[in-house]
């Protein structure tokens, strides 16, 4: 009995350290005994360049291998993604979104606080998405700090990147690409900027996010998707 207790304490300690370092955890104490991987995407998504040490960041070179491990794991039944991000590196964000969308394991995302900019495709990349009522999502044009040959080349490059983003979001949500572009280029909402801010219920009405809800609803949906996936395997 004592050995079991010590083993449980050690497991809890390791879990706490993992959450502290990476924001990740394995959730397995539920009644259904499903093994659910928790992944957090917070702050700014860091790409090929390191951000200042005082910035809260999500490093894509940490997330991509983790997603590969989740896909390969026999133990993991599903993935819960918690997002509160201001956006960040476009290429890195799209890479994460594409990886999540290609997982064979059931996935659910929950937007808390904000899912802005490149956070939008990451939020919709899951099989089912939730947003809390107070959270916001900002859709705006791509900004580029890279170097191009000239104005026309720069414009074409940005246009192609925007097409990739709006195409991905349209494919993984219930919004038309034309509507996404319309909100992206709106000049009436953001002061000194172009784009649209959607609050939780608005994001659902637009078809960007599937449902307004919190952690309880997100977990219940993930349990449902896992149960359906297991039933399909055994049938």
């Amino acid at each position: 009995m004592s050995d079991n207790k010590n083993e449980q304490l050690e497991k809890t300690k390791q879990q706490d350290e993992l959450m502290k370092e990476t924001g990740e955890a394995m959730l397995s104490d539920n009644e259904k005994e499903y093994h659910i991987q928790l992944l957090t995407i917070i702050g700014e998504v860091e790409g090929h360049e390191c951000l200042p040490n005082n910035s809260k960041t999500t490093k894509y070179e940490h997330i991509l291998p983790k997603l590969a491990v989740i896909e390969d794991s026999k133990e993991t039944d599903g993935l819960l993604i918690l997002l509160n991000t201001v956006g960040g590196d476009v290429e890195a964000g799209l890479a994460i979104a594409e990886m999540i969308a290609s997982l064979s394991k059931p996935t659910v995302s929950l937007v808390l606080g904000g899912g802005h900019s490149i956070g939008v495709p990451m939020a919709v990349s899951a099989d089912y998405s939730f947003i809390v009522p107070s959270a916001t999502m900002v859709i705006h044009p791509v900004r580029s700090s890279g170097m191009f040959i000239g104005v026309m080349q720069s414009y074409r490059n940005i246009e192609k990147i925007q097409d990739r983003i709006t195409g991905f979001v349209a494919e993984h949500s219930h919004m038309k690409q034309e509507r996404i572009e319309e909100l992206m280029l709106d000049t009436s909402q953001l002061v000194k900027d172009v784009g649209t801010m959607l609050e939780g219920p608005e994001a659902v009405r637009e078809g960007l996010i599937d449902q307004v809800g919190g952690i309880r609803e997100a977990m219940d949906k993930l349990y449902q998707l896992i149960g359906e996936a297991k039933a399909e395997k055994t049938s």
Side-chain angles (χ1 to χ4, degrees):
M1 188 74 175
S2 179
D3 287 343
N4 287 339
K5 189 174 180 180
N6 289 335
E7 188 177 317
Q8 186 63 39
L9 287 172
E10 183 61 30
K11 182 181 176 183
T12 302
K13 184 179 177 182
Q14 291 175 356
Q15 185 91 300
D16 289 343
E17 284 298 317
L18 187 63
M19 279 192 283
K20 182 179 177 182
E21 292 297 321
T22 65
E24 300 169 9
M26 177 65 83
L27 311 177
S28 57
D29 291 334
N30 53 81
E31 291 181 0
K32 297 181 180 294
E33 298 184 348
Y34 292 154
H35 288 76
I36 296 169
Q37 185 69 47
L38 172 67
L39 188 68
T40 58
I41 298 174
I42 59 172
E44 189 168 352
V45 177
E46 189 175 272
H48 302 298
E49 295 181 4
C50 292
L51 293 170
N53 290 331
N54 60 349
S55 297
K56 184 73 72 175
T57 64
T58 294
K59 300 179 185 295
Y60 88 113
E61 69 268 28
H62 293 172
I63 299 292
L64 297 185
K66 185 63 184 179
L67 292 172
V69 169
I70 290 169
E71 176 63 22
D72 191 54
S73 171
K74 291 187 292 184
E75 186 177 309
T76 302
D77 295 311
L79 172 65
L80 175 65
I81 307 143
L82 303 182
L83 293 106
N84 187 4
T85 176
V86 295
D89 187 281
V90 171
E91 298 288 347
L94 274 178
I96 293 170
E98 290 282 11
M99 280 282 282
I100 293 170
S102 67
L103 291 173
S104 64
K105 308 291 174 73
T107 56
V108 168
S109 65
L110 173 59
V111 179
L112 303 155
H116 302 170
S117 191
I118 201 62
V120 174
M122 287 189 285
V124 304
S125 63
D127 296 325
Y128 202 87
S129 57
F130 287 88
I131 186 169
V132 296
S134 62
T136 58
M137 303 190 77
V138 174
I139 302 171
H140 65 67
V142 170
R143 278 82 168 171
S144 178
S145 58
M147 186 176 292
F148 301 102
I149 297 171
V151 174
M152 186 56 69
Q153 290 87 344
S154 178
Y155 175 77
R156 285 174 182 165
N157 187 75
I158 291 172
E159 196 174 46
K160 286 180 181 178
I161 294 170
Q162 284 186 176
D163 283 344
R164 288 163 58 198
I165 294 170
T166 56
F168 181 92
V169 174
E171 184 180 350
H172 295 277
S173 71
H174 303 290
M175 285 186 80
K176 299 287 187 185
Q177 189 166 354
E178 294 78 11
R179 177 57 176 163
I180 299 168
E181 291 169 354
E182 182 183 338
L183 295 177
M184 182 180 280
L185 300 174
D186 190 350
T187 59
S188 64
Q189 281 204 33
L190 305 180
V191 178
K192 296 182 180 178
D193 202 353
V194 178
T196 300
M197 177 181 286
L198 298 173
E199 295 180 353
E202 290 178 301
V204 175
R205 284 197 296 271
E206 287 283 356
L208 184 61
I209 297 294
D210 290 310
Q211 187 177 332
V212 173
I215 187 66
R216 182 179 69 247
E217 290 82 6
M219 293 295 287
D220 285 346
K221 185 64 180 181
L222 189 51
Y223 293 154
Q224 177 194 330
L225 294 177
I226 293 171
E228 291 171 357
K230 286 181 175 291
E232 192 175 316
K233 276 187 178 180
T234 55
S235 62

